[in-house]
Amino acid sequence: MTIVTDILVGLVALIHVYIVVLEMFLWTTPRARAAFGTTKEFAEESKTLAANQGLYNGFLALALVWGLIATDPTGFQLKLYGVVCVIVAGLYGAATASKRILFVQVLPGALALIALVLAR
């Protein structure tokens, strides 16, 4: 179960690394605009804000990666912290921005959390 847990946690971390890249570096590109449903004008006006948001997603990814390489109990605690933060942020995002976040962020985070708790 530990391998499955680490794969799920790693997947959540990779999702957030991808979000970091989209928000911090590709925000004004057609790919990022399509992913977030923004116009060219809005993307240009909000790129600094998006980069800041991307940085926070980077912190989430970092906690998860650190949890994967740290030994227990620290590793477990970081993974638990990271996936709970991802789920909470995803629920807020789904309530305020897009229901799609439930599938992109909350579902993978919830699966990782369930696996993490069952493996403990």
Side-chain angles (χ1 to χ4, degrees):
M1 188 68 172
T2 303
I3 292 171
V4 172
T5 301
D6 286 349
I7 289 170
L8 289 170
V9 170
L11 176 64
V12 174
L14 285 174
I15 290 168
H16 280 77
V17 168
Y18 181 65
I19 293 170
V20 168
V21 171
L22 286 176
E23 291 176 340
M24 293 190 80
F25 306 109
L26 303 176
W27 185 250
T28 58
T29 66
R31 176 183 212 132
R33 291 196 327 265
F36 292 100
T38 60
T39 64
K40 187 174 185 173
E41 295 77 22
F42 178 80
E44 284 297 330
E45 292 173 8
S46 62
K47 64 183 174 183
T48 303
L49 201 60
N52 184 56
Q53 185 170 304
L55 184 62
Y56 286 98
N57 278 294
F59 293 143
L60 292 175
L62 176 62
L64 293 169
V65 170
W66 189 2
L68 288 170
I69 60 176
T71 58
D72 285 337
T74 304
F76 173 78
Q77 292 166 345
L78 283 164
K79 288 184 275 192
L80 182 63
Y81 171 79
V83 295
V84 168
C85 286
V86 163
I87 293 167
V88 171
L91 290 171
Y92 184 80
T96 60
S98 171
K99 300 291 183 235
R100 202 175 80 162
I101 296 172
L102 288 171
F103 301 102
V104 174
Q105 189 170 328
V106 176
L107 181 60
L111 292 174
L113 178 62
I114 290 167
L116 189 60
V117 170
L118 289 177
R120 194 73 167 140

